[in-house]
């Protein structure tokens, strides 16, 4: 797939322009910082999609392409990808650097949904 093609995704596409608005939402927001060239990012992409489907209506699950959206990456000091940030009611509550299994992400989401 070339970079100009858009595939349909359950995860919300997060950009520098909508980042602040999305993370300030009430509830839990998970943001996957990724890039097309990143192998581990490709490994967790299906997990992020599953989570977006599993938590639809309960949490916002989104993806932010660091190459296209450098502002949010700089603001939160994302230097290694994949990095997944978890927000609750607009506050950063957890950072996961590196690829992790689905259950690890589920545990973090569930902890903050409670």
């Amino acid at each position: 797939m070339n970079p100009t093609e858009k595939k349909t995704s359950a995860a919300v596409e997060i950009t520098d322009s909508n980042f602040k608005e999305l993370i300030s939402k009430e509830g839990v927001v998970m943001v996957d910082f990724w890039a097309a060239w990143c192998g581990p990012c490709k490994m967790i992409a299906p997990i992020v999609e599953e989570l977006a489907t599993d938590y639809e209506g309960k949490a916002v699950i989104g993806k932010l392409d660091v190459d296209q959206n450098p502002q949010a990456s700089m603001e939160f000091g994302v230097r290694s990808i994949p990095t997944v940030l978890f927000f609750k009611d607009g506050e950063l509550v957890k950072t996961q650097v590196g690829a992790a299994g689905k259950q690890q992400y589920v545990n973090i989401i569930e902890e903050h949904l409670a």
Side-chain angles (χ1 to χ4, degrees), residues 18-85:
N18 69 2
F19 183 77
K20 288 258 194 257
E21 175 191 339
L22 283 169
I23 65 165
S24 64
K25 285 187 180 292
E26 200 172 294
V28 176
V29 179
M30 175 181 138
V31 182
D32 170 27
F33 287 77
W34 70 283
W37 48 264
C38 166
C41 299
K42 290 176 186 173
M43 282 177 21
I44 70 164
I47 294 171
V48 173
E49 289 300 317
E50 285 177 36
L51 292 170
T53 301
D54 295 350
Y55 286 96
E56 188 173 351
K58 296 181 223 157
V60 175
I61 311 296
K63 297 172 67 71
L64 184 139
D65 182 334
V66 297
D67 290 334
Q68 304 296 319
N69 303 284
Q71 191 64 41
S73 305
M74 287 188 323
E75 184 176 334
F76 283 91
V78 174
R79 292 184 186 88
S80 177
I81 54 174
T83 290
V84 180
L85 301 183

